[in-house]
Amino acid sequence: MAHTTQLQQYHNNFDYDPAGMELEMERHRKRRKKWKEEVVDVPLRRDPLEVFGTDIMLKILSYLDARSVALSLLVSRAWHAVSSTDRLWASKLEELWLGKAHIPRLSQIRGLSKLAAYSLAVVDGKRNRIMKEDLCDHVWEFHFNKAAPDYWRNLDPYWKGTGRPMRRYFHPDGSQSADPGDKVWGGHECCYLTVTSIVGEDKIREHYVRINRWPRMSVSRKQDWSWELSNHLYSYSSIPDADKEGGTGPLYDV
């Protein structure tokens, strides 16, 4: 009995109200929830571009690879405006061109944005169809293959190890020439042509380069964007010229 009296007195001293306490706890939970939403969760849900600003986002995007930056173009108009700037894509374009043998002419059109130049360069780098411009824009190293007769290989510095490989030059008028003093060339007249047959949805069925009536040469493209023409007798390889002003190859997408 005495214990009950003391407990009641204790409750009275602290004005204990179970209903009021529960209400106060509910208010505390709501305040904490609101604080969590405003202070913790909201920044995570907000657009990073709004949180960090343009300059910081450009810095962040500069550390991403080109594909990731390209995907950020799709987020919103604001993101597209930031992610498509020349300031960002100039370095991506330099990275793309690094180590490449040839830089496509169509990606160096004056006034073209760096993003557009990057896209065109990637597309052109995947092109396996050689054009007349590609043949004429480059100097080509020429050598005989192992299947060629001994007579020709004995004249070839590639096999003899007596100097740089022979060089060939394709001209816009359809002719071909060599350096003066070339023992294999002999001063005979040469003409060339490219042949491409396409079926279905622009699918290449047959593609080759032919000089005079000699065996046709298949066309291949290397990872450094250089070209190779070859058959069982001889091969041509384009000499790297990435520093060539204005670029090389066709002006329009093929």
Side-chain angles (χ1 to χ4, degrees), residues 75-91:
V75 175
S76 67
R77 290 183 179 180
W79 275 71
H80 188 282
V82 174
S83 301
S84 61
T85 59
D86 283 356
R87 175 181 167 186
L88 181 61
W89 283 96
S91 60

Side-chain angles (χ1 to χ4, degrees), residues 4 38 42 45 56 60 62 87 94 100 102 106 126 137 145 156 169 187 200 210-211:
T4 303
E38 293 179 350
V42 171
R45 294 203 303 263
I56 294 180
I60 294 173
S62 69
R87 175 181 167 186
E94 290 297 326
K100 296 300 189 291
H102 312 306
L106 57 80
K126 296 178 180 179
D137 282 344
N145 294 331
D156 189 345
Y169 308 89
R210 193 167 193 172
I211 299 174

Side-chain angles (χ1 to χ4, degrees), residues 139-140 164-169 177-183 185-186:
V139 176
W140 297 79
R164 76 177 191 184
M166 295 177 286
R167 293 188 173 186
R168 296 290 182 267
Y169 308 89
S177 62
D179 290 327
D182 190 306
K183 295 182 180 180
W185 181 251

Side-chain angles (χ1 to χ4, degrees), residues 12-49:
N12 292 335
N13 289 340
F14 284 90
D15 194 22
Y16 178 73
D17 182 3
M21 182 63 72
E22 184 63 31
L23 181 61
E24 183 61 30
M25 291 179 65
E26 181 63 25
R27 289 173 180 170
H28 175 73
R29 283 194 292 267
K30 288 181 177 180
R31 285 196 298 269
R32 182 173 178 80
K33 181 179 179 182
K34 184 178 180 181
W35 172 84
K36 186 172 182 295
E37 291 176 348
E38 293 179 350
V39 178
V40 180
D41 293 342
V42 171
L44 298 178
R45 294 203 303 263
R46 288 175 58 191
D47 188 339
L49 184 57

Side-chain angles (χ1 to χ4, degrees), residues 124-140:
D124 188 85
K126 296 178 180 179
R127 174 171 59 91
N128 292 315
R129 181 184 177 186
I130 198 167
M131 306 299 292
K132 187 176 183 178
E133 293 89 343
D134 297 304
L135 292 172
C136 297
D137 282 344
H138 309 310
V139 176
W140 297 79

Side-chain angles (χ1 to χ4, degrees), residues 139-148 153 156 158-159 165-168 170 176 209 211 215-220 222 227-239:
V139 176
W140 297 79
E141 288 187 345
F142 169 84
H143 68 82
F144 287 104
N145 294 331
K146 191 173 182 179
R153 284 194 286 115
D156 189 345
Y158 174 86
W159 288 98
M166 295 177 286
R167 293 188 173 186
R168 296 290 182 267
F170 294 88
Q176 189 193 39
V209 174
I211 299 174
R216 65 181 63 177
M217 295 182 289
S218 59
V219 179
S220 60
K222 298 179 181 178
W227 295 93
E228 186 170 271
L229 315 174
S230 63
N231 56 33
H232 66 293
L233 293 175
Y234 46 80
S235 297
Y236 287 75
S237 299
S238 60
I239 295 177

